[in-house]
């Protein structure tokens, strides 16, 4: 018996997709990938970061928004759902009635690592966000799920921040416990890794 391969979807197909459920999907190389429901810790960290970024945006006086739930198209057949993104208002102001998926590069994207997303967050999304030109990518790993090659040994909860320079991400800055997180996007940010993990 031959199994039929699932149809490959375009980005336009993805935007129009509605299976009648509340299931959230990413489009990965033309295939719909259902997202597992987040833990409470995951949701609270995302909420904390969204609010933290909003305060920083107000202090900088920029026309940006910090958002949960919005998507990021990374190429013609892949669109991701970062946990938090920072977007320029100009990129969305003409698209208010359209699906909340950003086609321009976000300024900053955050992924909070869960058991089902570890490889994606540290490998695939890292490469995709780099190629898209997202200036800063945060990997927030509250359970130290990343491989030792990414977060060191012994493994501790870690925030890895990748900064784009000349089209490539530099080696990440890493923050643990009482380390004060450093962001090029938000230079006045004063928060420790533990304050983020403690949400």
């Amino acid at each position: 018996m031959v199994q039929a391969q699932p149809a490959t979807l375009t980005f336009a197909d993805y935007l129009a997709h509605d299976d009648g459920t509340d299931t959230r999907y990413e489009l990965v190389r033309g295939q719909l990938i259902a997202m597992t429901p987040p833990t409470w810790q995951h949701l609270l960290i995302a909420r904390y970061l969204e609010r933290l970024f909003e305060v920083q945006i107000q202090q900088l006086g920029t026309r940006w928004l910090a958002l949960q739930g919005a998507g990021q198209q990374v190429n013609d057949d892949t669109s991701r759902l970062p946990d938090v993104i920072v977007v320029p208002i100009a990129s969305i102001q003409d698209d208010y009635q359209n699906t909340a998926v950003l086609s321009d590069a976000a300024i900053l994207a955050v992924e909070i690592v869960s058991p089902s997303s570890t490889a994606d967050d540290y490998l695939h999304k890292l490469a995709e966000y780099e190629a898209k030109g997202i200036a800063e990518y945060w990997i927030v790993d509250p359970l130290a799920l990343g491989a030792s090659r990414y977060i060191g040994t012994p493994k501790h909860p870690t925030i890895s921040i990748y900064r784009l320079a000349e089209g490539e991400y530099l080696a990440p800055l890493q923050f643990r416990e009482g380390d004060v997180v450093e962001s090029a996007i938000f230079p006045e940010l004063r928060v420790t890794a533990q304050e983020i993990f403690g949400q």
Side-chain angles (χ1 to χ4, degrees):
M1 184 166 121
V2 177
Q3 264 190 315
Q5 292 295 316
T8 300
L9 277 68
T10 66
F11 181 65
D13 295 333
Y14 171 68
L15 292 180
H17 178 77
D18 182 359
D19 62 5
T21 73
D22 290 333
T23 304
R24 300 191 66 209
Y25 296 93
E26 289 187 333
L27 179 68
V28 181
R29 293 176 290 285
Q31 302 301 314
L32 290 177
I33 306 296
M35 305 305 294
T36 56
T39 64
W40 288 111
Q41 180 188 39
H42 191 117
L43 284 176
L44 291 172
I45 289 173
R47 179 175 178 258
Y48 179 78
L49 288 173
E50 180 187 34
R51 291 177 173 191
L52 189 68
F53 294 160
E54 280 294 331
V55 169
Q56 294 299 308
I57 288 166
Q58 288 176 3
Q59 289 177 352
L60 289 173
T62 57
R63 291 189 37 81
W64 299 345
L65 292 171
L67 301 168
Q68 291 184 67
Q72 172 68 69
Q73 179 188 15
V74 292
N75 57 44
D76 291 341
D77 66 356
T78 301
S79 185
R80 299 297 191 164
L81 293 169
D83 291 299
V84 181
I85 59 174
V86 175
V87 304
I89 292 173
S91 292
I92 64 170
Q93 65 187 7
D94 294 332
D95 291 329
Y96 287 159
Q97 300 306 315
N98 296 332
T99 303
V101 178
L102 188 67
S103 54
D104 296 339
I107 296 161
L108 183 154
V110 177
E111 295 289 356
I112 301 165
V113 181
S114 62
S116 64
S117 74
T118 307
D120 258 354
D121 295 340
Y122 280 103
L123 289 171
H124 307 295
K125 291 180 185 179
L126 177 68
E128 292 163 1
Y129 293 166
E130 178 183 64
K132 185 66 178 180
I134 295 174
E136 201 165 276
Y137 174 38
W138 291 31
I139 302 176
V140 178
D141 193 347
L143 302 176
L145 296 170
S148 296
R149 68 180 171 272
Y150 300 121
I151 63 172
T153 304
K155 298 200 310 185
H156 294 284
T158 302
I159 298 171
S160 302
I161 298 182
Y162 293 82
R163 297 177 180 172
L164 199 66
E166 297 180 11
E168 295 183 0
Y169 281 138
L170 303 172
L173 299 175
Q174 295 191 311
F175 307 95
R176 299 171 185 89
E177 299 178 345
D179 296 341
V180 176
V181 173
E182 297 174 23
S183 168
I185 302 299
F186 298 121
E188 300 302 314
L189 185 66
R190 295 293 176 267
V191 64
T192 67
Q194 190 52 52
E195 286 174 306
I196 293 171
F197 295 137
Q199 297 312 305

